[in-house]
Amino acid sequence: MKKIRVLSIFGTRPEAIKMAPLMMELERHSEFESMCCVTGQHRQMLDSVMDIFKLSADYDLNIMEKQQTLSTITTKTLLGLENVFEEAKPDLVLVHGDTSTTFAGALAAFYHKVPVGHVEAGLRTYDIYSPYPEEMNRTLVGDIASLHFSPTAANAENLRKEAILGEIFITGNTVIDAMKTTVRSDFLFEDPLLNELDFQNKRIIVLTCHRRENYGEPMEQIMQAVREVVLQYSDVEVVYPVHLSPVVQECAKRNFEGLDRVHLIKPLDVEQMHNLMARSYFIMTDSGGLQEEAPSMGKPVLVLRKETERPEAIAAGTAKLAGIDKQNIVRMASELLDNPEAYECMAKAVNPYGDGKACERIAEAIQWYFGLRQDRPDDFLTKDLL
């Protein structure tokens, strides 16, 4: 029997983290020939994830350049994929999420009349400029895809309301699958500072802040708020893996220089970050991925944005929308630090993002789509975890 040739295309660290367990799952099935094409949109951080999960790329476009723009990422990816499609001849292309690589990969597949499976489909803020360009990327991919793998029922409902064509599956989020292999109680950090932190007697807050829409005054407000929290609570320390963006680097140094309980460190690979989060007290972030990862560890999340395309965490009570106003961020962080009941309520909420079987469901959905199984796979529903 001819194998189903599945080509996974991704280019950034978050995509690689969430696609790695899926490619590993596909490789366990003899009916699939799993191939991987990386664009290298994020070079160093992408390579780190590939190494951790022991993955190798069949095709590497290596598009990253200094001062790259959204236009250069998209056009170089489209042009680079021409030869990849000619050689790989995929039966299905898988893309993930909402990056420029995601959009260009889906568009290239459309040009070659290859069906697209969209992993992490249906997330929406309904504001095309927030997050930018992610909201438009994922919306456009939704119009192209034939298979939509939605992490939650709410994501699937977004697609139905938009009258999206194709098959919609509720799978859970593949990042929960990834964390089954990355978080370990005996883990040792590469940075000696992290091994020396007193996670038992200090309340360690993990901070990330890097989104384009927070550049400028919003980022100033966020970092001033974190500074105030540290000054108010003597047992609080903050670990901030600072994004490589010069804008972010300068803002962090300006606001935290001289504060010995704020540790500005280099970006962490996925294993380091997951294990840091697992030992932390709570998390403050404008990242999308961390909103999904933290609930599986029982860690409250304060979302440093005006809106989120992951409202399930808010509804479940694992995350709260703190916004970008200094006083509001300080107030919400103080509540978690002062009120044990409020903390426990968030820490013990049900994780709405999955049970660690998302990749298995996606593989079954692909089998069903190509007629290799009779029964459509069951959807993941949060109520099944209760």
Side-chain angles (χ1 to χ4, degrees):
M1 184 180 70
K2 176 182 177 291
K3 289 192 174 187
I4 306 301
R5 298 170 66 84
V6 182
L7 177 65
S8 298
I9 301 173
F10 55 90
T12 69
R13 175 182 180 271
E15 289 173 289
I17 292 169
K18 294 179 177 182
M19 289 297 283
L22 178 53
M23 287 188 293
M24 293 163 70
E25 175 67 26
L26 293 176
E27 288 170 0
R28 283 192 279 270
H29 294 265
S30 60
E31 64 267 39
F32 297 130
E33 181 179 349
S34 178
M35 301 173 288
C36 171
C37 174
V38 298
T39 65
Q41 180 178 336
H42 292 172
R43 184 76 268 173
Q44 184 177 351
M45 293 186 286
L46 171 69
D47 290 345
S48 169
V49 177
M50 298 291 282
D51 289 342
I52 287 167
F53 286 98
K54 297 179 173 59
L55 296 174
S56 59
D58 298 284
Y59 305 95
D60 189 339
L61 304 186
N62 197 27
I63 67 167
M64 187 172 178
E65 60 184 44
K66 290 183 178 179
Q67 298 179 324
Q68 63 186 3
T69 67
L70 298 176
S71 297
T72 58
I73 293 168
T74 304
T75 54
K76 289 179 75 173
T77 298
L78 278 172
L79 291 170
L81 286 172
E82 288 285 338
N83 290 333
V84 173
F85 276 82
E86 289 298 321
E87 184 175 327
K89 294 181 171 53
D91 299 302
L92 177 71
V93 163
L94 295 178
V95 295
H96 178 278
D98 51 26
T99 70
S100 296
T101 285
T102 305
F103 169 55
L107 186 59
F110 169 71
Y111 286 161
H112 288 80
K113 297 184 178 181
V114 177
V116 172
H118 187 195
V119 181
E120 199 174 275
L123 280 68
R124 297 289 187 272
T125 64
Y126 296 105
D127 178 346
I128 64 171
Y129 293 113
S130 181
Y132 172 82
E134 289 87 349
E135 177 71 5
M136 185 52 69
N137 284 339
R138 58 190 169 219
T139 302
L140 293 168
V141 174
D143 286 329
I144 294 172
S146 298
L147 297 172
H148 308 268
F149 304 117
S150 295
T152 70
N155 302 148
E157 186 59 25
N158 289 340
L159 296 174
R160 294 189 186 103
K161 287 177 180 176
E162 296 169 20
I164 288 293
L165 300 176
E167 298 289 341
I168 300 171
F169 304 87
I170 305 170
T171 61
N173 198 300
T174 60
V175 76
I176 309 302
D177 300 36
M179 293 175 68
K180 291 190 297 185
T181 62
T182 56
V183 177
R184 302 190 300 276
S185 59
D186 61 349
F187 186 82
L188 288 177
F189 296 99
E190 293 176 2
D191 188 336
L193 166 72
L194 299 182
N195 289 320
E196 294 165 6
L197 288 175
D198 187 353
F199 290 97
Q200 299 299 319
N201 300 304
K202 299 287 186 180
R203 292 188 286 185
I204 309 297
I205 298 172
V206 175
L207 169 68
T208 73
C209 182
H210 68 274
R211 300 194 79 89
R212 282 189 186 91
E213 62 264 31
N214 278 340
Y215 281 10
E217 183 59 24
M219 193 167 287
E220 291 290 339
Q221 291 272 315
I222 290 167
M223 296 195 186
Q224 287 171 21
V226 174
R227 179 184 178 91
E228 187 167 317
V229 169
V230 171
L231 293 174
Q232 283 184 16
Y233 296 88
S234 60
D235 68 332
V236 165
E237 296 190 33
V238 172
V239 178
Y240 181 9
V242 186
H243 195 275
L244 298 177
S245 161
V247 174
V248 180
Q249 293 268 339
E250 291 165 12
C251 190
K253 290 176 182 176
R254 184 166 58 251
N255 283 282
F256 297 130
E257 203 160 32
L259 273 183
D260 60 1
R261 285 185 288 117
V262 177
H263 308 289
L264 304 181
I265 64 173
K266 294 178 181 178
L268 298 174
D269 68 36
V270 58
E271 273 191 313
Q272 305 284 319
M273 191 64 179
H274 282 176
N275 283 278
L276 174 61
M277 291 165 61
R279 300 182 192 187
S280 71
Y281 192 66
F282 67 84
I283 293 154
M284 303 175 72
T285 184
D286 63 0
S287 163
L290 269 60
Q291 296 175 53
E292 299 159 344
E293 296 162 4
S296 68
M297 307 175 188
K299 304 301 176 181
V301 181
L302 295 183
V303 182
L304 306 172
R305 293 170 57 185
K306 292 186 292 184
E307 72 285 299
T308 178
E309 60 278 84
R310 292 167 173 84
E312 300 86 0
I314 308 294
T318 62
K320 289 187 176 180
L321 203 59
I324 54 175
D325 175 72
K326 174 185 173 183
Q327 294 308 317
N328 195 55
I329 295 169
V330 171
R331 178 183 62 78
M332 295 182 78
S334 297
E335 183 181 25
L336 285 174
L337 293 165
D338 292 335
N339 187 340
E341 280 189 16
Y343 180 89
E344 286 299 311
C345 185
M346 293 184 72
K348 293 182 177 178
V350 172
N351 177 13
Y353 292 116
D355 56 1
K357 298 178 181 178
C359 296
E360 182 181 327
R361 291 188 184 94
I362 292 171
E364 290 173 351
I366 297 172
Q367 290 173 328
W368 178 83
Y369 179 77
F370 283 99
L372 300 180
R373 61 176 283 153
Q374 186 173 0
D375 298 329
R376 181 186 171 101
D378 293 333
D379 285 336
F380 163 74
L381 297 174
T382 305
K383 67 179 179 63
D384 295 335
L385 298 177
L386 298 175

